[in-house]
Amino acid sequence: MTHTRAIIRSTGAYLPEKIMTNDDLAKIVDTSDEWISQRSGIKSRHIAADDQPTSDLALRAAKQALENAGLTAADIDGVIVATTTPDSTFPSVAVRVQSALGVPPGIAFDVQAVCSGFIYALSVANNFITAHQAKRILVIGAEKMSSIVDWEDRTTCVLFADGAGAVMLESSSDADADDQGIMSAHLHANGDHADILYTNGGPSTTGESGHIVMHGREVFKHAVTLMSDVVEEALSHNGLSASDVDFLVPHQANLRIIEGTAKKLKMSLDQVVITVDRHGNTSAASIPLALHEAVSDGRIQRGHTVLMEALGAGLTWGAVIAKF
Ligand code: ACO
């Protein structure tokens, strides 16, 4: 029997022109290349222009995903954007992208699960497609984290950055569908940990978006355990072991967390896509950016089993396993 599966038809990405190195940051706050590299693995990051909103980053990544799929906006019936840094409180970044691309009226909305946002958005899009409510959805992760960091707080401003990545998710019901596409998605949240990573403002409290406040050690403590747990959950749900996975595409928050997760899963670092050294933590954009890089340079190929996982503020965490 053939089932409808959501397949990843193409990817796209966009990184702002401006590159900020650790040495550049050391001129702004009391930090050093050595501290940032050792603690996080980050060497440089991209920062959007002051007049460049998140929707601009999202639009550029979306255009590339469309082009790489050989499709036009008229072929799409949905846009879902994972972001925690929208242009404005409303309307969503998704409707701005929909309008700029000329996508016909269908579904368009944002998903806010911070660094897990792309995993949540991919899962939601997968549900729309497998429920036959949409055929092709652009799933985008886009962030201008530089707009919500306190540039005087060295504990956070050295970590976060800007960028966007996109995938074209498409319904496939042909005979091969069972061997392709999203196999399962696993989402979790625990609001008891809301106070270890948050912004100190918002529309209904201060009237401003606020800045990121992070108790890094607390987040770190949960990160490796929860991400390894959700990866195990995804593998066992599909009767797979880590050795069946060709590539792990983790959220890029910190190289030590990525290495810790890979070690727990007994995966070689050659099988892990790492961009945090050049991208920093781009929150919901980090996974689609990394996925696009590994697809573009030929590491991830058709037929490969790819496991994506993330943890972010909330806490929220999740994993998606897909046959590419
Ligand atoms: N440069 C130099 N020194 C610094 C800096 C800096 N940029 N930042 C902090 N320090 C100092 C601190 O003040 C502290 O000094 P003290 O010992 O004199 O008090 C010392 O360095 C150690 O600070 P810690 O915060 O304990 O450092 P730690 O080893 O925990 O590393 C880090 C910090 C990199 C943030 C780490 O905890 C981490 O990566 N946590 C996880 C973050 C994460 O995964 N976030 C993902 C979700 S993000 C999202 O959802 C939006």
Side-chain angles (χ1 to χ4, degrees), residues 31 35 39 114-115 154 197 216-217 253-254 256-257 281 312-313:
T31 190
W35 192 96
R39 305 284 174 135
V114 204
C115 295
R154 66 175 183 174
L197 182 53
R217 280 218 171 160
N254 182 311
R256 289 186 296 156
I257 296 175
N281 183 347

Side-chain angles (χ1 to χ4, degrees), residues 199-210:
T199 59
N200 57 8
S204 63
T205 51
T206 61
E208 289 172 1
S209 57

Side-chain angles (χ1 to χ4, degrees), residues 135-152:
K135 269 192 93 65
R136 288 198 193 99
I137 302 180
L138 267 170
V139 187
I140 305 165
E143 299 281 18
K144 187 174 177 179
M145 297 304 278
S146 64
S147 65
I148 58 163
V149 293
D150 175 353
W151 284 97
E152 290 180 3

Side-chain angles (χ1 to χ4, degrees), residues 29-32 35-36 39-40 84 113-116 143 145 148 153-160 197 212 214-221 223 227 251-257 281 283-284 311-316:
V29 286
D30 182 13
T31 190
S32 64
W35 192 96
I36 303 170
R39 305 284 174 135
S40 72
T84 195
V114 204
C115 295
S116 308
E143 299 281 18
M145 297 304 278
I148 58 163
D153 175 11
R154 66 175 183 174
T155 67
T156 51
C157 76
V158 302
L159 303 173
F160 294 97
L197 182 53
I212 299 173
M214 181 168 79
H215 300 287
R217 280 218 171 160
E218 287 300 306
V219 179
F220 197 102
K221 251 181 10 203
M227 284 199 277
H251 169 48
Q252 311 281 322
N254 182 311
L255 187 59
R256 289 186 296 156
I257 296 175
N281 183 347
S283 189
L311 172 131
L315 291 176
T316 56

